[in-house]
């Protein structure tokens, strides 16, 4: 069954003290919502965040993880380190990881396999850049990223996959994606998954939109039939904005 999700990617923001303060505010102001609320603090704050909100209706996710089980990989985090502290959801393939750290679809496929081995849920990010959209190549780019990153999986694995479509050209560029453009791509994605894995997988697949969702546009974006929620950046760093988005269903 498709689930509505609003996930806050806090990126490299918030000290531990600030993380706990923000979580306190979210817990205080949080109302009943149709959406699962996920927060993804930086690695060093995951344990304290998990201790703060565990069992209180907020899920804590990691922003990334390494594909190896362990070893001489200075500065990296293994899946077992996350699950050991109760973090069982991980964001993989974020556009910033792809752009700044040169993560490829092949690498991400390995990370996906490792996360699934540890029974983690994956929020898998993908999306085209402005040059791809301008060249009318956006559907091809998205299809390649999905095929190379995820289409090696067995049908049963898709119960642990959440997709997050990020139109990179609409994030911090001054360009704006319309709700109709979001729906068009989400419908394309769902149809693509249906062709490969069948309607039952596609119909139950949660697809999030990651293109500058704000309190002002959340309700309209989330009203589209194939948009099941959002992966939120800057707006997730303010409790009132983040919760307003979560209440956009």
């Amino acid at each position: 069954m498709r689930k509505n999700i609003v996930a806050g990617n806090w990126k490299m923001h918030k000290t531990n003290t600030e993380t706990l303060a923000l979580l306190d505010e979210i817990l205080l102001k949080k109302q009943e919502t149709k959406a699962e609320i996920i927060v993804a603090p930086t690695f060093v704050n995951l344990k304290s965040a998990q201790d703060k909100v565990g069992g209180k209706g907020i899920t804590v996710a990691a922003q990334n993880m390494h594909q190896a089980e362990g070893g001489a990989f200075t500065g990296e985090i293994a899946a077992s380190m996350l699950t050991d502290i109760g973090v069982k959801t991980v964001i993989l393939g974020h556009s910033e990881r792809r752009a700044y750290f040169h993560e490829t679809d092949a690498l991400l496929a390995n990370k996906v396999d490792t996360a699934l081995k540890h029974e983690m849920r994956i929020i898998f990010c993908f999306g085209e850049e402005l040059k791809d959209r301008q060249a009318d190549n956006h559907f091809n780019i998205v299809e390649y990223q999905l095929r190379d990153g995820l289409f090696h999986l067995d049908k049963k694995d898709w119960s642990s996959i959440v997709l997050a479509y990020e139109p990179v050209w609409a994030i911090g560029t001054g360009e704006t994606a319309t709700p109709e453009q979001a729906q068009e791509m989400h419908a394309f994605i769902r149809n693509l998954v249906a062709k490969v894995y069948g309607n039952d997988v596609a119909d139950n697949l949660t697809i999030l939109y990651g293109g500058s969702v704000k309190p002002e546009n959340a309700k309209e974006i989330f009203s589209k039939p194939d948009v099941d929620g959002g992966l939120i950046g800057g707006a997730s760093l303010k409790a009132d904005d983040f919760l307003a988005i979560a209440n956009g269903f």
Side-chain angles (χ1 to χ4, degrees):
M1 183 177 179
R2 283 161 64 179
K3 176 182 286 189
N4 295 133
I5 294 174
V6 172
N9 178 16
W10 293 2
K11 306 186 181 183
M12 199 173 71
H13 296 289
K14 302 296 181 183
T15 64
N16 192 61
T17 300
E18 292 167 341
T19 292
L20 295 177
L22 178 54
L23 290 174
D24 276 333
E25 188 177 0
I26 291 173
L27 287 170
L28 178 66
K29 296 179 177 180
K30 182 171 73 72
Q31 301 172 344
E32 288 297 321
T33 175
K34 295 180 180 179
E36 177 186 0
I37 295 177
I38 299 176
V39 295
T42 186
F43 280 127
V44 296
N45 299 334
L46 285 175
K47 180 62 166 64
S48 56
Q50 180 66 21
D51 291 343
K52 169 69 71 174
V53 303
K56 297 180 181 178
I58 297 176
T59 302
V60 176
Q63 297 177 19
N64 186 35
M65 51 159 266
H66 198 272
Q67 68 273 17
E69 295 291 344
F73 301 104
T74 299
E76 295 293 333
I77 305 294
S80 60
M81 298 173 182
L82 298 174
T83 58
D84 187 62
I85 61 171
V87 175
K88 298 180 179 179
T89 299
V90 61
I91 299 170
L92 296 177
H94 191 277
S95 60
E96 291 160 2
R97 298 296 311 178
R98 292 174 183 265
Y100 305 146
F101 301 96
H102 311 294
E103 293 193 357
T104 64
D105 293 325
L107 173 66
L108 292 170
N110 288 335
K111 290 191 176 191
V112 166
D113 290 344
T114 300
L116 289 173
K117 181 179 177 181
H118 288 265
E119 300 182 343
M120 299 185 75
R121 176 174 55 168
I122 299 154
I123 300 175
F124 187 85
C125 304
F126 56 95
E128 81 280 7
E129 297 181 15
L130 181 59
K131 64 181 184 340
D132 304 314
R133 174 69 64 157
Q134 291 175 333
D136 200 27
N137 198 35
H138 44 297
F139 292 117
N140 288 333
I141 293 296
V142 164
E143 180 170 349
Y144 294 152
Q145 289 176 333
L146 288 174
R147 287 191 180 277
D148 293 346
L150 294 176
F151 281 8
H152 65 288
L153 298 178
D154 292 333
K155 189 173 182 177
K156 62 179 175 56
D157 294 328
W158 280 82
S159 62
S160 299
I161 301 295
V162 172
L163 298 183
Y165 166 61
E166 298 182 289
V168 183
W169 55 276
I171 303 173
T173 62
E175 300 286 338
T176 303
T178 65
E180 290 72 26
Q181 286 173 315
Q183 166 58 25
E184 179 185 40
M185 182 59 84
H186 280 232
F188 170 80
I189 293 163
R190 201 176 301 281
N191 289 332
L192 178 62
V193 173
K195 290 178 183 177
V196 178
Y197 288 98
N199 288 331
D200 55 334
V201 171
D203 290 344
N204 287 294
L205 178 64
T206 294
I207 307 177
L208 309 181
Y209 177 68
S212 298
V213 180
K214 302 173 183 177
E216 297 78 20
N217 62 16
K219 187 172 183 179
E220 185 178 7
I221 292 173
F222 294 165
S223 71
K224 299 302 179 183
D226 288 295
V227 179
D228 303 312
L231 179 61
I232 317 302
S236 69
L237 298 172
K238 297 179 180 180
D240 288 338
D241 288 352
F242 187 47
L243 292 173
I245 292 170
N247 292 327
F249 289 97

